Amino acid sequence: MNAVQKSDTEQFDEVFNNIAKLYDHAENILKTAYHESITDHDQFVEEIEGLVKQIEESANTLAEDFSRVIESGKEPTNAMKVRVSSALRKVLLCIDEYRQRVKDNNQ
């Protein structure tokens, strides 16, 4: 095996860790709502709720499909690839929408 190539186990671990990081990001975003610099915690939670929810939903989709691939031992189906792409795209769109709202509110 080439030193640059990763073993299946290393690749699976990397994918798993990246999915876990999505959950961590959602949790960290929620934690920011209770930072001392936030004056209205409930309002801030309301503002970030959609973003956090989308990150968690997308992470769930990724985790479910990843589990199916691991259990079956087969390559991901085209349907799985579409779901994964869609899940990630939804997170990116939600982040862009949130950034735009923040930008609009600061002008």
Side-chain angles (χ1 to χ4, degrees):
M1 177 172 75
N2 185 328
V4 176
Q5 293 176 326
K6 294 182 182 179
S7 71
D8 286 347
T9 302
E10 289 172 323
Q11 289 178 6
F12 292 151
D13 288 348
E14 185 176 344
V15 171
F16 177 82
N17 289 336
N18 286 331
I19 294 169
K21 285 178 187 178
L22 282 174
Y23 290 111
D24 290 343
H25 289 312
E27 184 177 331
N28 288 336
I29 292 168
L30 276 176
K31 285 180 183 178
T32 63
Y34 299 100
H35 189 270
E36 63 189 35
S37 65
I38 305 298
T39 54
D40 188 344
H41 302 292
D42 292 335
Q43 180 185 358
F44 191 76
V45 168
E46 190 175 310
E47 289 177 18
I48 63 172
E49 186 175 33
L51 175 59
V52 170
K53 182 178 178 181
Q54 186 57 61
I55 293 170
E56 289 174 342
E57 286 176 6
S58 291
N60 288 342
T61 298
L62 297 172
E64 289 168 8
D65 281 347
F66 182 64
S67 292
R68 287 186 191 110
V69 167
I70 297 299
E71 289 171 6
S72 72
K74 297 178 183 176
E75 292 290 319
T77 64
N78 284 338
M80 286 180 180
K81 291 176 185 178
V82 168
R83 274 193 304 273
V84 166
S85 292
S86 177
L88 294 173
R89 188 173 30 260
K90 287 177 182 177
V91 170
L92 293 175
L93 288 172
C94 207
I95 290 170
D96 284 343
E97 289 171 4
Y98 178 75
R99 284 182 178 158
Q100 189 59 47
R101 278 196 319 271
V102 169
K103 183 179 174 183
D104 291 347
N105 289 338
N106 288 328
Q107 290 182 351

